[in-house]
Amino acid sequence: MHDSPDAGSMASPARCRLRFDRILLVHPLGYRADAASSDIARLAGIMPPIGLASLAAWLETKGIEATIIDAYARPDAPDLIRERLLADRPAFMGMSCTTSGFLDAVRLSAVAKAILPGIQTVVGGAHVSALKTSALDGFPDIDFAVVGEGENTLAKLIDGGWEQPAAIPGLVYREKDGAPRYTGPLTDLIELDTLPFPAYDKLPGYPDAYRLPIFNYPRAPNTSCVSSRGCPYACSYCDRSVFGRSFRFNSAEYMLAMVRNLHERFGVRHINFCDDQFTFHRKRVETFARGLAESGLGISFNCAARAEHLDEDLLRTMKAGGCWMISMGVETGDPELLARHRNHADLDRLHDCIAAIKRAGIRVKGLLMMGLPGETTDSIQRSMDYVFRLPIDDISLTKFTPFPGSPVYSGIHEHGDFTEDWERMDCMNFQFIPTGMTREQLEKLHQSFYRKHFLRPRIMWDYTTMIWRSPDSWRRFWTNAGSFLRFARNPRRLAHAAYRDEIG
Ligand code: B12
């Protein structure tokens, strides 16, 4: 590692004062400032950027110092970014980009270059992994994009590779004339058990600045973890550009060590596994759950799973290990619509599986979408009928958004009206209106779906039981009751305008 680049044509005086062994990693805000519920989203839950924490930990093993600023957890992020840039003078700034966060990253790049001339900016994450060279087209303030798994590519880039980027696989860089060029996919993927644990300690305020969505956990402090990369399924709405369709995973032993570390260092008492297919490898989940039960740590966990990868035996073992909630991708309860968008769609099997989860004593959350291509008022009605027959406890109903890289994206205009406004593609806006429907209809049905769900006596009682099953959730709810109620009355008033104003 060196403090300044080798002498050469790239080395300007400004560059020479930069620290080439440092990077500032930023998690941009993934919501428009004027988007409904940006503040409410913060109140309802803030989850750590695990990708950035993983990159930071990996870079440290290579002698590169990484600082993280998470605009989600820190409303004062613009000030913090300025402070860190001036104090640390990093030669690189890296940003993690979903589609809705990408333009924020573009703005932050311009700001960083104005503050610290010569700094080089790098983006990674879902949006740029899907778009590759077109992620840099028209955005001159971004110098590099990392496609897919970021650890090795970023380390090589910082460790002198920026001078000859064509030699680094998994990278989009600029030719001399500024044209973006992709070096091709990364083939040498990391064995996940060799990764250091994510650097949660580099997230300012961790663990208290972070919390899972209310009513999604029994205890605090809590956190998110990830223990696998990739998903073998190919659902129409899901972008697999980052980790592809293989399934790589941490061993149960690694998972147990990670959980123990979180508990001992930060007092974490509940973990939400964000894996796409947590139970895909049955044996490791069994070993993990048994190990957790034997550990005596008293830690509980949530995960997401598919019906094909759960059974009564496994559920009993998971429960004994502390499994508190399983999220099941239902997507829609309309069988024809589901078959059009998802592999192995079988609503009867899903119903039976959810009943089995409940019998095991585990809470169930259904993950749903509204507005998929082919959606009609009838299909939404059928979806409600199905969902309200499920023995489910909670739902999350997102507004379908066609993301670049998802199978449905390329032909989306054949199925309705799509306004590709990236900043609004945060699953909280209907940017796609299926043929035959209107935005007003979708909005109305979206509200009605939620209202009907919450007003069922069984669900109201379930939330009441959270007084003793998740007391911290109720504490947060009452502490912020004013904001929640104001949001219910007028979502736009709660816009987090200050952030956007500050970064221009
Ligand atoms: C946990 C999670 C969150 C968390 C944390 C987000 C984060 N940025 O880490 C929270 C709750 C905040 C969140 C919010 C949202 N999320 Co989210 N989230 C996930 C989830 C389930 C796991 C992410 C994760 O931790 N993966 C594990 C880590 C190790 O991988 P990673 O983050 O991809 O990072 C690796 C590479 O991408 C790369 N990389 C990432 N960042 C960077 C930066 C640099 C500089 C470099 C070099 C490399 C690099 O290197 C990392 C290590 O290999 C993914 C689904 C998935 N399977 O990835 C969706 C996913 C990323 N989210 C998605 C969406 C849509 C959102 C929201 C818009 C929706 C919403 N309403 O919640 C918001 C927007 C947030 C934002 N700021 O932009 C989509 C993104 C699709 C898209 N094109 O936009 C995904 C892919 C889910 C999906 N399949 O649709 N999310």
Side-chain angles (χ1 to χ4, degrees), residues 23 25 27-31 47-52 54-55 72 93-101 122-127 129 146 148-151 154 226 228-229 237-240 242-243 274 276 403-404 425-428:
I23 183 166
L25 294 171
H27 183 208
L29 195 64
Y31 300 101
M47 286 143 85
I50 308 168
L52 289 186
S54 179
L55 290 170
Y72 255 69
M93 181 163 96
M95 289 152 291
S96 190
C97 297
T98 58
T99 297
S100 63
V122 196
V123 288
H127 183 73
S129 296
V146 167
E149 185 164 86
E151 284 85 352
L154 185 60
V226 68
S228 60
R229 292 184 176 183
Y237 42 81
C238 195
D239 168 28
R240 303 257 70 94
V242 175
F243 294 127
C274 292
D276 292 319
F403 286 114
M425 287 166 63
D426 58 7
C427 305
M428 296 195 296

Side-chain angles (χ1 to χ4, degrees), residues 108-433:
L108 289 170
S109 296
V111 170
K113 289 191 172 209
I115 296 173
L116 219 51
I119 192 169
Q120 303 188 71
T121 57
V122 196
V123 288
H127 183 73
V128 303
S129 296
L131 291 183
K132 303 182 178 67
T133 49
S134 47
L136 262 57
D137 265 338
F139 303 107
D141 287 321
I142 300 202
D143 300 304
F144 301 102
V146 167
V147 174
E149 185 164 86
E151 284 85 352
N152 271 327
T153 310
L154 185 60
K156 283 183 190 156
L157 182 75
I158 298 174
D159 194 11
W162 60 273
E163 290 178 298
Q164 281 174 335
I168 305 177
L171 187 71
V172 181
Y173 68 98
R174 290 188 189 280
E175 297 277 27
K176 283 201 171 61
D177 62 0
R181 165 151 310 194
Y182 178 40
T183 57
L186 186 68
T187 44
D188 194 7
L189 298 175
I190 291 178
E191 166 60 51
L192 295 192
D193 273 6
T194 65
L195 281 174
F197 300 143
Y200 291 98
D201 56 311
K202 286 184 178 284
L203 298 168
Y206 185 86
D208 298 328
Y210 291 89
R211 49 203 169 242
L212 293 172
I214 53 171
F215 305 119
N216 277 240
Y217 61 88
R219 287 180 289 265
N222 46 58
T223 198
S224 306
C225 275
V226 68
S227 68
S228 60
R229 292 184 176 183
C231 170
Y233 292 97
C235 301
S236 77
Y237 42 81
C238 195
D239 168 28
R240 303 257 70 94
S241 308
V242 175
F243 294 127
R245 290 184 59 190
S246 64
F247 182 76
R248 290 174 295 140
F249 52 91
N250 287 123
S251 64
E253 293 70 26
Y254 181 99
M255 291 165 73
L256 286 164
M258 180 161 64
V259 168
R260 182 178 286 281
N261 181 269
L262 283 165
H263 182 68
E264 288 172 357
R265 279 190 76 181
F266 307 106
V268 165
R269 299 167 72 202
H270 176 82
I271 288 174
N272 181 54
F273 283 100
C274 292
D275 304 56
D276 292 319
Q277 300 297 335
F278 185 75
T279 60
F280 192 74
H281 191 288
R282 193 181 185 287
K283 183 96 189 92
R284 89 169 178 135
V285 179
E286 240 178 7
T287 314
F288 168 69
R290 291 212 173 102
L292 203 54
E294 285 159 16
S295 73
L297 294 173
I299 288 187
S300 49
F301 70 94
N302 293 349
C303 63
R306 284 176 72 114
E308 299 93 303
H309 303 294
L310 284 174
D311 57 71
E312 304 256 5
D313 267 0
L314 181 61
L315 285 165
R316 266 194 298 275
T317 310
M318 287 168 73
K319 171 70 184 172
C323 184
W324 193 76
M325 182 169 88
I326 301 182
S327 293
M328 299 293 291
V330 180
E331 320 311 349
T332 169
D334 179 70
E336 274 173 34
L337 189 62
L338 189 62
R340 201 170 141 175
H341 292 284
R342 200 179 158 144
N343 311 132
H344 314 298
D346 185 341
L347 288 171
D348 292 335
R349 181 177 189 175
L350 183 61
H351 182 286
D352 293 348
C353 180
I354 288 173
I357 301 174
K358 290 300 296 174
R359 278 198 299 279
I362 300 171
R363 199 171 159 71
V364 188
K365 180 171 185 171
L367 305 178
L368 294 142
M369 276 180 207
M370 187 184 280
L372 282 158
E375 187 87 273
T376 60
T377 48
D378 287 346
S379 66
I380 294 172
Q381 189 53 56
R382 278 193 288 273
S383 190
M384 285 196 222
D385 294 344
Y386 173 79
V387 171
F388 298 158
R389 279 200 309 272
L390 292 172
I392 213 157
D393 301 297
D394 202 354
I395 61 167
S396 163
L397 177 63
T398 56
K399 298 177 179 176
F400 163 72
T401 305
F403 286 114
S406 61
V408 80
Y409 176 80
S410 51
I412 194 68
H413 291 284
E414 291 160 29
H415 305 288
D417 187 14
F418 175 39
T419 313
E420 190 165 349
D421 175 348
W422 288 342
E423 281 183 288
R424 290 181 65 81
M425 287 166 63
D426 58 7
C427 305
M428 296 195 296
N429 297 292
F430 284 113
Q431 291 306 107
F432 171 74
I433 312 295

